[in-house]
Structures are given as structure tokens and as C-alpha cells.
Amino acid sequence: MTLISSCCGARTRAGTPCRTKPIPGRTRCRWHGGRSTGPKTPEGRAKAALNLPRIRAARVAAERG
């Protein structure tokens, strides 16, 4: 059973839970990581490209059970 949250779930600077709705299909709001824009520097893009096969393999393994 999947629990669908109506709130972001992150903690604010004051220590209270964020009350903003999450991005559709995500668990966090746009302020707390729901709209990541990806790496910007060439070094960051290279690192992301190296991690991509490992991440895809883990996702496929999780889908298979």
C-alpha cells in the first residue's frame, strides 16, 4: 500500500514540517527538491554520466523484485 502525502514532508528552517503540496508524482515540493534541474558544470555532468548505468541497473532490479 502506498501512502500518498498531501504535504511535502521536509522540515523548514524553523523545524516545522513543510506544508506545501509536493510536485505531482514526487514526494517533495519545488522548494525542497521536487524540481531538480540537474548538474550544471562539465564536471557535474561527467559524474552524472558515470553514475547513470548504475542507477538504471538498480531501478531495473527494483522493478523485477
Side-chain angles (χ1 to χ4, degrees):
M1 179 174 153
T2 304
L3 180 63
I4 299 174
S5 175
S6 62
C7 293
C8 168
R11 293 281 175 178
T12 64
R13 292 180 184 182
T16 60
C18 177
R19 298 181 348 186
T20 307
K21 289 185 178 183
I23 301 279
R26 303 281 182 118
T27 59
R28 298 287 186 210
C29 70
R30 63 185 178 145
W31 305 111
H32 292 111
R35 289 184 84 174
S36 175
T37 58
K40 298 293 183 201
T41 65
E43 295 84 9
R45 289 179 181 176
K47 187 175 180 181
L50 289 174
N51 285 325
L52 188 59
R54 179 182 57 83
I55 293 168
R56 284 186 177 162
R59 187 176 297 153
V60 168
E63 288 176 357
R64 291 183 181 166

